[in-house]
Amino acid sequence: MTNSVDSNRRRMLGFMAGAPLLPLAGGVFSSTAFAGMTDAPLSSVSFVPMAAPSLSNPAAMSTNLINSAMQLKFEDGTSRMVKLDYQPFFMTGDKVADGNGNTVIAGGYYDINNKPILDPSAGNRQFFSDCPDGSSLLTVKDAKVAGVYGNHVFAVVQFEYATRDGAGDDMYGKLPSPIAILTLDQNPETGELKLVKYHNVDTSNVGGLWITCGASLSPWGTHLSSEEYEPDAFKADDKQFKAYSKNLFGDENKGKPYNYGHLPEVTVNKDGTGSIKKHYCMGRISHELVQVMPDERTVIMGDDATNSGLFMFIADKARDLSSGKLYVAKWTQISSKGPGAGDISWIKLGEANSDEIQRLVDADIKSTDIMEVHTKDPKDSSFTKIGYGGKSNWVKLKPGMEKEAAFLETHRYAALVGGSLGFTKMEGTTVNIKDKKAYSAMSYIYKTMTDGSNDIHVEGPKAGAVYEHKLTGGQKDNNGQAIDSEWVSVHMHAPANLIGEDLATPDALGNTAHADRIANPDNIKFSEKLRTLFIGEDSGNHVNNFLWAYNVDSGELSRIMSCPAGAESTGLHAVDEINGWTYIMSNIQHAGDWDDKLHAKVKDTLDPYIRANYKDRYGAAVGYITGIPKV
């Protein structure tokens, strides 16, 4: 490296003290890449939006498209524009290095004995996922992995499900979800990340994983995973769960429903391997994307289901989620207009440690040991009618089974004791520490949120919204007991620019929600340095799903990426700084997952492009957003 470039590098690091710097596409460091930099303090960061692609350019609708930019403004009136690009680590189904001189299949599935699960309908090739989801980017002190020549960085990536087998038959929820640790070599000069090692985490000690969706990075550097849509222990002949058990254990009757629906935590080791444990004391709900607050004890949890709730867990000790108290929110509505608004109070469900609940699972406790459940009115006043999964249940708790119900039948018990179990698909949650606010994505606002069947009775839109929480301390639960946290939600409402807009009739492409507003938000992450809320869509209303950037100071919403048609924006993770570089992680899943109505106008044109780009619709991209250097 020349002296002039070295000098510019040092100046660049000084620049980083006041402004974010995205890694450079292609690993190219140009001596002119940061020309014209100023020493003035950073004033603001904003994103220059891109237009949604159209059928005039079908190739653009069939890939991860970025035509946006990040603009930095400084207090001396100068500004700098950084064009954005997308850099994948791999596509699922690719052969990648395992760090031991061999290769493995990215996103590949394994049974309880860590043997590849093969697909007989595809020539016995190993099943691999087309649905990468939650990811975390992190560092480990004193890491040492062969092949890393710059800085050690690790990414944990989980794979939610496989859409179909080789014959095209549905495979949703029928395979045990894998989690991988990627060892990445970070170029100190450019921030570029290169995959060196792919390690599949052994999940046999927790009995495998069920439908791992969104994820977050804990303040202490572990990956907090999820198991969503927990199997219903009262469903005697659950064909999906039996298929899952067969693929995992080789026996359709060996799996225990109560072992799934919990919160797994992955710890990365110095050598790029990892270990996993499940926390059985945080509620058995449709965990999506949880957020640990700065006290390192309070966890706000969304619940991606119909008849879902807002849940909170407060750990007994910081950085230890193995014991604590579980709460469910009570919504007191103060507005029904649009997505509505409500004040939040909290009902304590119980307190437990993970080991005691796991012992119940291991002892094969039965659902009927905990409560009686009917799906038709038993005409018995000792039963309570509740909503469960969008349908009515009549439930009666067995005497003395409050704790078992709270932690293993959390949805039903939370409704039984008066929690507001009327939300619809409450997805990711994230926190804005400076303003003491949190955000929760409500993918759809319909059904139990609009039908008047519970505490929550609002107008919509079906296209969903992101709600903002006011966080504070000094709160008491329903029993008048102090809640030991300064990060408790007490109010929810949706900012104006974070509300979707339903269309009365579809537009020219077939969108049923306005393309220039969010629709069906899912993954959300907040960047303190960028003062930006990033929002990824999982929309049944947009032909192409988008990734958005919302500036919480200006209220400006900017589209920064378009996913291939039929794909979902997943794996979102905003990392303010790793060795001087800022990262926005982003994956896509199930490209070309056609909906007959939504995609009717585009499918015939786009399907050949999608198949060519994504392994005949079996592959999906895992990667991150980069900047494009000046040359």
Side-chain angles (χ1 to χ4, degrees), residues 454-477:
N454 60 87
D455 300 333
I456 307 159
H457 189 195
V458 300
E459 295 174 341
K462 185 179 178 182
V466 176
Y467 288 80
E468 178 183 290
H469 298 261
K470 177 184 177 183
L471 305 175
T472 190
Q475 301 304 298
K476 294 183 178 180
D477 66 19

Side-chain angles (χ1 to χ4, degrees), residues 288-314:
E288 170 71 18
L289 190 165
V290 308
Q291 179 64 54
V292 180
M293 296 298 151
D295 64 357
E296 301 184 343
R297 295 176 55 244
T298 304
V299 189
I300 303 293
M301 301 182 287
D303 181 25
D304 183 11
T306 302
N307 285 118
S308 66
L310 174 66
F311 291 87
M312 177 174 64
F313 178 78
I314 301 179

Side-chain angles (χ1 to χ4, degrees), residues 393-406:
N393 277 191
W394 286 261
V395 302
K396 180 169 68 174
L397 187 68
K398 295 290 183 72
M401 300 301 285
E402 287 82 3
K403 179 176 286 190
E404 291 83 353

Side-chain angles (χ1 to χ4, degrees), residues 116-128 164-168 618:
I117 301 176
L118 306 181
D119 180 0
S121 67
N124 278 331
R125 76 178 182 192
Q126 184 179 3
F127 272 109
F128 59 88
R164 62 188 72 82
D165 64 11
Y618 286 92

Side-chain angles (χ1 to χ4, degrees), residues 505-524:
T505 57
D507 68 12
L509 281 179
N511 292 304
T512 54
H514 201 301
D516 291 332
R517 299 186 67 86
I518 64 169
N520 311 112
D522 189 333
N523 280 206
I524 58 174

